Amino acid sequence: MRSGKCEKKSRMRNRKGNGGRVNILKRLAPDELRLVYKEHIREDFPRGKRRPLFSMEKMLKTGRYDCYGYYRNGNLIAYACYILTQSGSYALLDYFAVIPELRGQGIGSEFLRALQRNMSVKCGVFLEAENPGSAKSEDEQQTRERRIRFYLSNGAKLTNSNCLLFGVDYNILFIPAGSAADIPEKECQHHAVEALYREIYGRFYGRLCKPYHEKDINYD
């Protein structure tokens, strides 16, 4: 269960955006999540990469899901959703997106840093990024490398874990929570990744999800 301190930290926060504009980070209520899903997630993510809304609502109700919106003048400019472990130590980033017409303006970096400061987890968040090494074209490889560099430039660290998830090869990255004193060693991170996926997929773990070790790679 999340502590009262974490609940307080994750309430509305104001941040000065570009040009002195005030951007607001807000934890989404169930009705707000439904609106974001219908108006944005359906448009931003293909059907094969969309979690059913009822699944998100069920996890949200049981405290295993966290969703945030980033607002400017009352309008959504970015959103993110996390799957939480039962212990509250770790989370897995499920969705992260900036509204299409506002991309390329630094909002994604600002939003990610705001999320890091207000995470309700004790240790940090794992991220999945498609492995450039398994790309089918040079353009696809470069796109995947840019995505990883974006996360690295905003506080993420590459772990030595990969995961074959629904047949797609992912690098696993880690962002420590703002209150975390230490970043777990990579071996501990790998065990945490395995435990997290076991929680998420239960009896289907092993068929849908195969974490494995990868040698260190530099995307700088």
Side-chain angles (χ1 to χ4, degrees), residues 147-159:
R147 188 173 296 123
I148 289 175
R149 285 196 295 269
F150 165 77
Y151 287 127
L152 293 177
S153 68
N154 286 288
K157 307 292 182 183
L158 271 170
T159 72

Side-chain angles (χ1 to χ4, degrees), residues 143-175:
T143 297
R144 293 181 178 189
E145 289 175 348
R146 282 196 300 271
R147 188 173 296 123
I148 289 175
R149 285 196 295 269
F150 165 77
Y151 287 127
L152 293 177
S153 68
N154 286 288
K157 307 292 182 183
L158 271 170
T159 72
N160 62 353
S161 296
N162 278 44
C163 186
L164 286 172
L165 185 60
F166 294 94
V168 180
D169 188 12
Y170 289 95
N171 287 138
I172 306 298
L173 295 90
F174 180 75
I175 298 182

Side-chain angles (χ1 to χ4, degrees), residues 46-196:
R47 181 183 295 272
K49 292 188 176 181
R50 276 201 317 262
R51 184 179 301 279
L53 178 58
F54 75 84
S55 172
M56 299 164 73
E57 291 179 320
K58 180 179 179 180
M59 289 190 291
L60 189 67
K61 186 176 181 180
T62 58
R64 298 292 305 283
Y65 211 61
D66 240 353
C67 302
Y68 291 88
Y70 208 36
Y71 293 85
R72 178 183 295 164
N73 298 327
N75 298 312
L76 185 74
I77 59 175
Y79 60 89
C81 299
Y82 301 92
I83 302 173
L84 307 173
T85 59
Q86 290 181 343
S87 66
S89 295
Y90 296 98
L92 178 69
L93 185 62
D94 203 25
Y95 293 100
F96 180 88
V98 174
I99 303 308
E101 59 267 26
L102 299 177
R103 291 172 187 170
Q105 301 180 22
I107 293 172
S109 294
E110 182 187 320
F111 182 36
L112 197 59
R113 290 194 295 269
L115 289 167
Q116 186 177 359
R117 288 190 297 269
N118 291 278
M119 287 176 184
S120 60
V121 292
K122 300 171 187 175
C123 298
V125 173
F126 289 104
L127 316 174
E128 299 163 338
E130 290 174 317
N131 185 0
S134 62
K136 296 180 180 179
S137 69
E138 185 175 347
D139 286 346
E140 184 180 14
Q141 179 181 341
Q142 291 175 355
T143 297
R144 293 181 178 189
E145 289 175 348
R146 282 196 300 271
R147 188 173 296 123
I148 289 175
R149 285 196 295 269
F150 165 77
Y151 287 127
L152 293 177
S153 68
N154 286 288
K157 307 292 182 183
L158 271 170
T159 72
N160 62 353
S161 296
N162 278 44
C163 186
L164 286 172
L165 185 60
F166 294 94
V168 180
D169 188 12
Y170 289 95
N171 287 138
I172 306 298
L173 295 90
F174 180 75
I175 298 182
S179 59
D182 300 303
I183 299 175
E185 295 294 331
K186 287 189 175 182
E187 187 62 34
C188 294
Q189 290 174 4
H190 185 76
H191 291 315
V193 168
E194 289 183 323
L196 187 150

